[in-house]
Amino acid sequence: MFDMAETLERLQNDRQFLATVLLTMFFLAIFPAYFAMGGSGGDGSMSAVADYKVEGELEYIELDNATEYIFDGETLELSFTTEVLDDASSKNIVGVEVSMSYGEDEEANGASCAGPLQGQSAADTISATTTHNSYNGSGDGQNSGGSGAHSVEVIWQNVSLLGTTVSGLSKGEIIDQLDSKGAGEGEYLIEIGVTAEAGNTNSPIACQRSDDGEEVTYSVKLIVLDLDNVTIATELETETGEEA
Ligand SMILES: [Ca+2]
Ligand SMILES: [Ca+2]
């Protein structure tokens, strides 16, 4: 049985026991570091160029989701900082995604708006811009037919390498293309705007259509690639079970 009080007393009085404990602690600390070095360059494997199969999964961290009514010609501005995350600096943030969905709230009002006289709605345009430092992207969508959805993605690392076999690069160079090295930290600005259009009726005097804007449901997500779960291996390494 392990007796804490007895062990502490021995540590104070028995120098050889103390030395043994310290030596054990030293090796427990040093061995993982030694093996990590061996795996990541001690044998030169990081700089060897070969055909490497690169595999990894993107993960998403949602910063916000909400539904807001945006009036015609107006822009909803959202800003976020990665400081709200506990451990942003330990995450490899490679991009940001804003996804939006929307319906159509257009109304036909008047004395003779029944049936076919009310005409048809005209599509609204929902536009979004995402900015993070010098990285930005934008995209439009429309609610033709009564609903729509679109998303805007901005990605600053070469995640297209995932799921492919890469030739002409070393493992180190591949990791270099996937590692954001803190580029994902900081401020994010999202702008979502609506340009509303009202359609025509078949009875313009007795029935009018109106459209004030649109209700947009949005979700803002950081795109994260955990490098610890990325494997970079030649076919031979994959067969023998060894991974980067
Ligand atoms: Ca409309
Ligand atoms: Ca509308």
Side-chain angles (χ1 to χ4, degrees), residues 104 106 121-124 143 196-199 211:
E104 172 64 285
E106 195 168 322
S121 62
D124 305 339
N143 56 1
E197 295 282 347
D211 195 335

Side-chain angles (χ1 to χ4, degrees), residues 97-102 124-130 138-143 147-153 191-194 216-219:
E97 181 195 85
V98 182
S99 53
M100 292 146 280
S101 62
Y102 28 81
D124 305 339
T125 301
I126 289 79
S127 57
T129 301
T130 304
S138 57
D140 292 350
Q142 289 196 316
N143 56 1
S147 67
H150 80 286
S151 60
V152 176
E153 252 186 13
E191 293 173 298
I192 303 173
V194 169
V216 178
T217 296
Y218 62 84
S219 166

